[in-house]
Amino acid sequence: MSFMKKVLKNIVNFTIILVVILPLFTTNIFAYEEQEVDKLLEEYKFGEAYKILKENLYDEDKNIDPIKIRKILELEFIVTDTSSMILHALELVEYGQNSKDYYNQMIGYYYLGSVYYELYDDTKAIENFEKMLSIAQSKNYPLGKGMYYMFTGLIYSSYEDYDLALENFTKAQPYFEEAHLDENWVFPNFKENNKFMIDLIEIILSKSQDKVSRFVELGDAFKDKNWKLKYSSMSRCGYELNKIGAFKEAAYMLEESKKTIALADFGDMYNKFSGYMDYDLAYSYYSMGDFKRASELLLDEAYTTNNTKLEVERGELINQKLREIESKEIKRQSETKTKIISAISALLVFLLITVIIIVRQYKVADRLSQEVYERSIRDNMTGLFNRTEIINLYQKNIDKDISLSVIDIDDFKNINDTYGHSVGDIVIKDISSIIQDIVGDKGYVGRYGGEEFLVILKKSDQYDSKKLLEEIRITIENKKWFFKDSPVTVSIGLLNEAKNTSFNNGFKAADELLYLAKRNGKNIICHI
C-alpha cells in the first residue's frame, strides 16, 4: 500500500511539473527567442532575424504565429521578395478569416495588394486594397484607411498623375496621425513615409526654380532617421534629381542611400533592390561623363548573374501561386473531374463505357490544365507574354543569335489624362496586336509593364531586326484612331546583338537606347 502511495505521489509531482513549471519554461524560451529577434533587427541583421522567424513560424499543431508572419512579410517587402510575400500574405489572410482576427486579416490584404503593385498589376492591387479598406471601415481601423489612400497615391504617382497622387496622400495623413500602431512593426513609419511623399510631390508640382536644392534638403532631412526611412527617402530624392538632370546631386543622394543599405546584413534573403539602386546611380555617373564608375555599377556580375537566375526562378513560383488564386474555379473543376474518372475506372473497369468516359474526361482535364498554364504566362489585358515569361524566354534563348528591343508608347500619360483610362487600355491592346502580328513566329513579344513592351527577335537572313521594328513603328504611326486625328507613336531602343548577354545587362542597354530615342524627339528607333 505504501508503494502505491509513492507511485501516486510521483505521478502527482510529475503532473505539477508538466502543468505548472513546463509552460513557464516554454514561455521563457519564446520570450528569449523574441528578444533575440528584436536585437538582430535593431542591429540590421535582417537575414539572421528572418531565418529565426521562419524556423519558428508554426507551433506544434502547424498553426501560424501572426506576429512572426507580419515581421517576415515586412522584411520580404523591404527586399521586394514577391514570391515569398504572396505565400505568407495568403496565410495571414486565411489565419485572420479562420480566427476572426480582422486586424491581421486586414494586414494580410495590405501585403497581397503590395505584391500585385510590385508585379505591375494595379487592378489586382486595388482589388486587395479595397478588401483591406472594407475591413478598416467596418472595424474602424484608421491604419487600414491610411494604407489604402497611401497606396492609391503610390499607384497614381507611378503613372505621374501627381495631382491625384497628392490628393490621396493628403487623405491618408490624418488616418496615420490617428492610428495607434502596436509594437510588432519592425519599422512603424507609415506617418513619416506618407508625409515624405506629400513633401516630395509638392516639390515635383511646384513651378519654382529651386527644385534641386529642395529635393536635396528633403533627402538630407532623413539622414539621421532610422535605416528604412533614410535609404528609401534619399534614394527617391536621388531618382527625382536624375529626372530633372541634377546628376551630381542625384549621385550624392544615391551614394548616401547605398551606404545605408550596406549597413544591413540580408544573409540568404533574396534581394534585388540593391541592383535597382546601382542602375539609378550608374545613370547619374554616366550622364556626368564618369563612364568608369557607371560601368562598374552596371556590370557587377555577382549581382547581375545571380539575380537574373533568381528572378526567373522566383517568377516561376509567383506564377504558380497567382495561378492558384486566379484560376481556383478552373482547377476545382479539373480536380473534381479527375476524381470522377478515378471512381468510375475503379468500379466499371471492364465496361467499354468507362473507357470512353475516362478518355473524354482526361481530355477535358488536360484542356483545363493547358488553359491554366496559358493564363499563367499571358498578360491579362493584351494576351502577350507577361513580364516573367518574356524574361524566361530570353533566358532560354540567350545562347542563340537574338536581338532585344524595348518599345514604349509616346506621351501615353497624356492619352490617359485627356481621354480616360478606358481609351488608354484600347490603345495598349491595339498596339499590342500590331506588334504581335508583325513579329509573328520571328520572335517573342511580351508586355513588360504599363505601356512598355519587350520584343525578342531571332536573327535570320530573311529579315533585319531594325527593318522589322521600323515596320512596327510606321504601322503604329499610320493607324487611324477614333478619339483623335493626330497619330499615336512609339519610341524603340534596340540591342542588335544580345547573344550571351544577361537579361539585366541586355535590358539596361535597350532601355538606355529607348530613353535616347525619347530625348531625340520620340517616334524613332535608337540602336547599337
Side-chain angles (χ1 to χ4, degrees):
M1 194 69 173
S2 60
F3 172 75
M4 286 302 297
K5 283 182 179 179
K6 285 182 181 180
V7 171
L8 288 171
K9 186 178 180 181
N10 287 336
I11 291 171
V12 170
N13 290 338
F14 184 69
T15 304
I16 290 171
I17 290 171
L18 286 176
V19 173
V20 179
I21 299 174
L22 188 59
L24 292 173
F25 178 70
T26 307
T27 302
N28 287 335
I29 290 175
F30 291 153
Y32 174 76
E33 172 204 302
E34 189 176 340
Q35 289 170 6
E36 184 183 2
V37 167
D38 289 342
K39 185 172 185 296
L40 289 169
L41 292 173
E42 287 173 9
E43 295 171 352
Y44 308 144
K45 294 179 179 177
F46 299 136
E48 290 182 53
Y50 182 75
K51 184 179 179 182
I52 292 172
L53 287 166
K54 283 194 73 175
E55 287 173 349
N56 297 280
L57 179 57
Y58 303 98
D59 62 21
E60 291 179 358
D61 297 322
K62 300 298 181 184
N63 298 314
I64 68 162
D65 182 330
I67 305 307
K68 289 175 184 173
I69 206 166
R70 276 174 47 191
K71 289 183 177 180
I72 285 170
L73 280 162
E74 199 170 347
L75 292 172
E76 288 168 348
F77 192 24
I78 289 173
V79 297
T80 329
D81 183 357
T82 46
S83 58
S84 298
M85 275 176 70
I86 197 167
L87 295 171
H88 293 130
L90 285 168
E91 284 187 297
L92 189 57
V93 168
E94 186 178 3
Y95 165 83
Q97 289 171 336
N98 293 338
S99 60
K100 299 192 184 304
D101 183 344
Y102 301 109
Y103 183 81
N104 281 312
Q105 184 183 355
M106 178 185 76
I107 301 299
Y109 282 126
Y110 162 72
Y111 282 113
L112 267 182
S114 303
V115 168
Y116 283 108
Y117 172 77
E118 292 294 338
L119 295 174
Y120 303 95
D121 190 341
D122 293 339
T123 303
K124 289 287 186 183
I126 291 168
E127 183 181 307
N128 282 282
F129 289 137
E130 285 177 345
K131 290 177 182 176
M132 173 188 73
L133 179 63
S134 176
I135 295 172
Q137 289 174 331
S138 65
K139 301 299 177 184
N140 195 24
Y141 295 138
L143 178 63
K145 298 173 189 177
M147 286 171 165
Y148 173 80
Y149 289 115
M150 180 182 72
F151 254 96
T152 304
L154 287 171
I155 290 170
Y156 279 121
S157 67
S158 70
Y159 289 101
E160 298 186 0
D161 192 338
Y162 294 118
D163 290 316
L164 280 173
L166 182 60
E167 181 183 321
N168 279 276
F169 286 126
T170 304
K171 283 182 181 177
Q173 195 63 22
Y175 291 117
F176 288 137
E177 298 281 354
E178 182 186 351
H180 297 288
L181 273 67
D182 59 42
E183 70 280 4
N184 299 307
W185 293 94
V186 180
F187 293 106
N189 305 121
F190 291 100
K191 180 171 64 175
E192 294 86 349
N193 276 323
N194 192 74
K195 181 62 169 65
F196 166 79
M197 289 304 300
I198 292 173
D199 294 340
L200 183 88
I201 291 176
E202 285 178 345
I203 297 173
I204 293 170
L205 290 173
S206 73
K207 307 293 184 184
S208 64
Q209 300 299 312
D210 61 344
K211 281 189 177 184
V212 174
S213 60
R214 289 179 67 187
F215 277 131
V216 172
E217 184 181 348
L218 178 61
D220 276 341
F222 287 85
K223 285 183 75 171
D224 298 324
K225 301 293 184 181
N226 70 37
W227 181 88
K228 187 181 179 185
L229 276 174
K230 182 178 177 181
Y231 101 75
S232 61
S233 304
M234 297 192 83
S235 63
R236 181 59 192 260
C237 286
Y239 173 77
E240 294 298 336
L241 285 161
N242 262 341
K243 284 173 66 177
I244 61 175
F247 304 117
K248 181 180 177 182
E249 292 82 358
Y252 158 69
M253 281 285 155
L254 293 166
E255 287 284 14
E256 286 295 314
S257 188
K258 189 174 173 65
K259 289 176 191 173
T260 305
I261 290 173
L263 296 174
D265 180 2
F266 293 99
D268 296 329
M269 290 183 73
Y270 171 67
N271 174 13
K272 70 180 180 183
F273 75 109
S274 299
Y276 295 155
M277 175 80 66
D278 285 349
Y279 175 66
D280 288 337
L281 192 51
Y283 180 76
S284 302
Y285 284 116
Y286 178 85
S287 302
M288 289 190 290
D290 189 345
F291 304 120
K292 183 175 184 296
R293 177 66 175 138
S295 64
E296 287 172 353
L297 289 160
L298 284 178
L299 300 176
D300 180 355
E301 279 303 311
Y303 169 78
T304 302
T305 305
N306 293 337
N307 276 277
T308 301
K309 181 172 182 292
L310 280 171
E311 192 79 47
V312 174
E313 291 173 354
R314 298 274 173 172
E316 290 172 355
L317 181 56
I318 291 172
N319 266 334
Q320 178 187 338
K321 294 304 163 187
L322 293 182
R323 225 171 9 230
E324 291 173 7
I325 297 168
E326 296 173 1
S327 305
K328 269 185 179 177
E329 185 59 26
I330 291 174
K331 293 185 81 172
R332 185 189 64 77
Q333 292 174 9
S334 178
E335 288 167 3
T336 301
K337 288 171 181 175
T338 303
K339 288 176 184 176
I340 291 171
I341 292 167
S342 300
I344 292 173
S345 61
L347 293 170
L348 308 171
V349 67
F350 298 108
L351 299 177
L352 179 60
I353 188 65
T354 303
V355 176
I356 296 170
I357 291 173
I358 289 171
V359 171
R360 183 178 297 165
Q361 295 292 348
Y362 265 118
K363 282 182 179 178
V364 171
D366 185 61
R367 179 175 57 79
L368 289 170
S369 176
Q370 184 61 30
E371 187 178 342
V372 170
Y373 171 71
E374 279 296 316
R375 287 190 183 189
S376 76
I377 64 172
R378 297 287 177 180
D379 174 65
N380 289 337
M381 181 190 292
T382 64
L384 301 178
F385 291 117
N386 59 26
R387 180 182 182 135
T388 301
E389 183 62 17
I390 196 70
I391 293 173
N392 189 28
L393 289 167
Y394 182 92
Q395 289 297 117
K396 287 180 178 177
N397 291 274
I398 198 168
D399 59 343
K400 298 181 177 66
D401 288 323
I402 55 172
S403 67
L404 177 66
S405 55
V406 184
I407 301 177
D408 188 85
I409 304 173
D410 295 327
D411 303 313
F412 183 72
K413 179 180 179 296
N414 291 338
I415 295 172
N416 272 341
D417 290 348
T418 307
Y419 304 103
H421 288 275
S422 58
V423 171
D425 290 348
I426 291 169
V427 171
I428 288 175
K429 289 175 185 175
D430 286 3
I431 287 179
S432 298
S433 297
I434 291 171
I435 298 171
Q436 184 62 71
D437 289 347
I438 293 174
V439 171
D441 60 359
K442 302 177 187 71
Y444 309 99
V445 184
R447 186 180 178 203
Y448 194 68
E451 70 274 19
E452 197 168 60
F453 308 90
L454 291 188
V455 177
I456 302 165
L457 291 173
K458 309 166 192 173
K459 292 295 188 70
S460 170
D461 295 334
Q462 298 176 5
Y463 60 87
D464 175 80
S465 293
K466 185 177 182 299
K467 286 182 180 178
L468 191 141
L469 291 167
E470 185 67 14
E471 182 185 349
I472 290 172
R473 187 193 67 77
I474 292 170
T475 304
I476 292 169
E477 183 184 16
N478 292 335
K479 178 175 172 55
K480 302 297 180 186
W481 299 94
F482 68 91
F483 59 93
K484 67 170 188 166
D485 296 328
S486 56
V488 174
T489 62
V490 295
S491 297
I492 303 174
L494 165 64
L495 177 64
N496 247 313
E497 303 293 338
K499 182 178 180 180
N500 294 328
T501 302
S502 69
F503 177 78
N504 280 11
N505 285 348
F507 177 77
K508 286 171 187 174
D511 199 42
E512 186 62 35
L513 289 164
L514 168 66
Y515 281 100
L516 187 61
K518 295 279 189 184
R519 289 194 292 269
N520 282 280
K522 303 175 183 175
N523 192 25
I524 60 172
I525 301 173
C526 283
H527 65 99
I528 54 172

